[in-house]
Structure formats: structure tokens, C-alpha cells
Amino acid sequence: MATIPNQTDTVSSAAAAAAPSFGTRAPGLHFSRYFTKPGVSPYNEVVWELRDAVIQDFKGKTIFEQKNVEVPADWSM
């Protein structure tokens, strides 16, 4: 299994020293809330329903099937 280097392995010590510590606010981009409401989970804003997911080959033979998949109600079949 391949190992993934730690982030500190790829960051120079000078860059690490210049990085702001936690608790301080660095300058950067600010994004306003647009699609979600504070305190409400985005998943609760979607109407969900259970469906069966079936994939068939060109002859009509089922090659994949998963029953009772919870999906947004407005997704097309």
C-alpha cells in the first residue's frame, strides 16, 4: 500500500513559520451564505423517497440492482 506524505513533509519550514496560528483570522476570500439556512441541515431541505436502482444491458438482462435507495424525489428515473 502506498504511503501518503504528511503535509509537513511538503511544506517548507519558512512557509510553516509564516502561516497564521489557529484562532487568528488571515486575509482571504469571504463567501456569504446563499443556498442554505443557518441552523438547518441542507439534507432536511430535500424531499426524499425510496426507489429501486436497476441497470440493464441492451438485451434487458439485469447487470446491477439495488433496492430501497433513498434519493431526492425530484431526480428523474
Side-chain angles (χ1 to χ4, degrees):
M1 178 176 247
T3 60
I4 300 172
N6 292 333
Q7 188 175 12
T8 55
D9 294 341
T10 58
V11 177
S12 71
S13 59
S21 64
F22 290 108
T24 62
R25 190 172 176 114
L29 297 175
H30 173 76
F31 295 96
S32 300
R33 183 182 297 273
Y34 187 76
F35 292 106
T36 61
K37 299 173 188 169
V40 178
S41 171
Y43 295 111
N44 292 335
E45 296 289 306
V46 177
V47 177
W48 299 91
E49 67 182 23
L50 295 177
R51 295 187 189 169
D52 294 339
V54 179
I55 300 175
Q56 298 176 334
D57 65 10
F58 66 96
K59 294 181 182 177
K61 179 182 172 191
T62 300
I63 57 175
F64 174 83
E65 182 175 17
Q66 187 174 9
K67 300 219 180 254
N68 294 325
V69 178
E70 192 172 24
V71 297
D74 61 348
W75 278 15
S76 65
M77 298 299 255

